[in-house]
Amino acid sequence: MLQTELPFDPPKSEMKHLSYRERLAKLLKGNLDFHGEKGATHVHAWHAFPARFPPRLPERFITELTQPGDIVFDPMMGSCTTLLEAVISGRRAVGTDIDPLSLRLAQAKLNAADMKNTRESGDELIESVRHRLSNGKDALEKSLKKRFDPKTKAFADYWFAHSTQIELAALADEIEKIENRTLRAFFTLVFSSVIITKSGGVSLARDLAHTRPHRVTDKIPASPVAEFGKRLQRNLNRLTCHPQAESMVMEANSQRLPLAKETVDLIVTSPPYANNAIDYMRAHKFSLVWLGHSVSSLSRLRRTYIGGESTTGTEFLPLPAYSEHIVGRLTASDRKKGRMLHRYYSEMSRTLSEMHRVLRPGRAAVVVVGTSVIRGTDIEIQKCLREIGEHHGFEHIHTAVRRLDRNKRMMPARWNTSNTGIEARMHEEYVIGFLKTE
Ligand SMILES: C[S@@+](CC[C@H](N)C(=O)[O-])C[C@H]1O[C@@H](n2cnc3c(N)ncnc32)[C@H](O)[C@@H]1O
């Protein structure tokens, strides 16, 4: 589509005279592509995160549908895009996620305005790491030995060269010693950003940020300490001041939200893909093992992510008619995949029910979701989630289709390789707009 053919964007002056419902409809019918807009030079870009949405997307709904002081909520906050945009525009932000890396990123990003003397502290940190590397190698070897249980050690040995492990252990040790929580959270984020990059960072992996890592033998990994220094500098350059609106993040499953009913003014969120196309834990454990998590505990946690493959112990819910039909169609061609999809829609049903409960009447929930094709079958996610949302009492206002920016968005690696019809559709996603009627 040519630029001139893009849907019309409503001017702000016109929006003022519309009712809340009309504003929501108008926003959904406007241009939601946001290609080539802000992001890379911002706190948003402090750390790689697959399938995050462009900051302008939540920003537009937040500024047009809420007032300063209102509560904006994202039950699956990921890299914190919605929450950051909320606090930047003076709204209060609440977020939940089950991913330990997401929670750590939120802690660092939402407190960015509190950081004092960060550059000096960063230089001191690097200095003490370098000192330990040149004077305390034996102690570091011992510390590395104690760091992991056998299974986690086997993981670290497979994916990281020994010299890299020594540097990472020194960095992790020194970061743990920092007393100021905000600084510690920021340095932890920088540490993780050195490992989780498109190219696999300082590990022996490639395609890490795409969450499909594979080990390569011809890679000469860069020095973690040198990379840490570069990232520190780059992230500090991206540190923009933003108002310190209140924010709260919680480790919680979106199917059981720790919020009272009718407490939030707007939800903007994006759930994981239905076909497990992005396996967050597969990439995130590369840095989480250095932050005190064991491979076994992370594997247990991975099973609880929405969109996971395993259906052992799943509490399946009865689905409304069309969603039941789509699950049945897939089950007929592949029973296992059919059960996986049933799990996904059951989990999304509990999530949408919780979103409806915590939202104030008369307010909107915006759900951004990727297209999914399983075994060659389009699972019609936009129709099914709409139907499930309506089943829980939401009024569906409109579903927009937005085109992903291939250059920016980190998508599953295999999607970048072919140009078939299905692959082309994978470069679109849906923005489903719901209203909780009064
Ligand atoms: C597509 S990402 C969200 C990206 C986010 N919109 C952003 O811009 O960074 C989906 C998120 O859902 C989270 N998630 C998966 N299962 C969850 C669950 N049961 N409860 C809460 N969050 C969950 C994942 O950890 C991941 O961070």
Side-chain angles (χ1 to χ4, degrees), residues 44 49-55 58 74-82 96-100 102 105 109 250-257 268-273 278 280-281 284 301-302 304-308 343 347 351 368 409:
H44 286 296
F49 203 93
R52 63 174 169 216
F53 39 48
D74 186 345
M76 292 166 275
M77 65 184 174
S79 69
C80 218
T81 317
T82 295
T96 54
D97 207 295
I98 52 170
D99 185 283
S102 160
L105 299 189
K109 289 179 167 186
M250 288 167 285
E251 179 184 357
N253 194 315
S254 58
Q255 300 167 72
R256 293 179 296 279
L257 293 173
V268 186
T269 194
S270 59
Y273 286 91
I278 291 182
Y280 289 92
M281 187 53 84
H284 292 179
L301 184 60
R302 177 173 172 263
T304 65
Y305 282 51
I306 289 180
R343 169 185 164 177
E347 291 173 329
T351 299
V368 182
R409 169 91 162 220

Side-chain angles (χ1 to χ4, degrees), residues 35 48-54 197-198 207-213 273 275-280 283 370-371 402-419 422-429:
H35 293 180
F49 203 93
R52 63 174 169 216
F53 39 48
T197 74
K198 273 187 191 170
D207 281 336
L208 191 49
H210 288 130
T211 79
R212 291 288 183 265
Y273 286 91
N275 55 357
N276 204 29
I278 291 182
D279 189 341
Y280 289 92
T371 50
R402 64 177 295 272
R403 294 170 311 150
L404 302 178
D405 190 343
R406 283 181 183 227
N407 299 325
K408 276 219 184 135
R409 169 91 162 220
M410 265 188 285
M411 291 178 290
R414 64 197 158 85
W415 293 1
N416 293 325
T417 54
S418 129
N419 275 319
I422 286 173
E423 298 284 333
R425 293 252 297 99
M426 287 309 211
H427 295 278
E428 293 174 345
E429 65 186 3

Side-chain angles (χ1 to χ4, degrees), residues 222-261:
S223 147
V225 181
E227 288 302 298
F228 184 92
K230 282 190 219 159
R231 290 265 167 179
L232 180 70
Q233 188 62 40
R234 202 186 308 169
N235 281 2
L236 286 175
N237 292 344
R238 287 169 172 158
L239 179 57
T240 41
C241 274
H242 50 72
Q244 289 180 320
E246 273 175 62
S247 62
M248 181 169 74
V249 298
M250 288 167 285
E251 179 184 357
N253 194 315
S254 58
Q255 300 167 72
R256 293 179 296 279
L257 293 173
L259 296 175
K261 74 172 200 187

Side-chain angles (χ1 to χ4, degrees), residues 5-22:
E5 294 172 314
L6 288 173
F8 171 65
D9 262 346
K12 275 196 180 304
S13 53
E14 189 189 318
M15 293 290 270
K16 265 202 286 194
H17 305 293
L18 301 178
S19 69
Y20 186 92
R21 173 195 300 266
E22 287 166 338

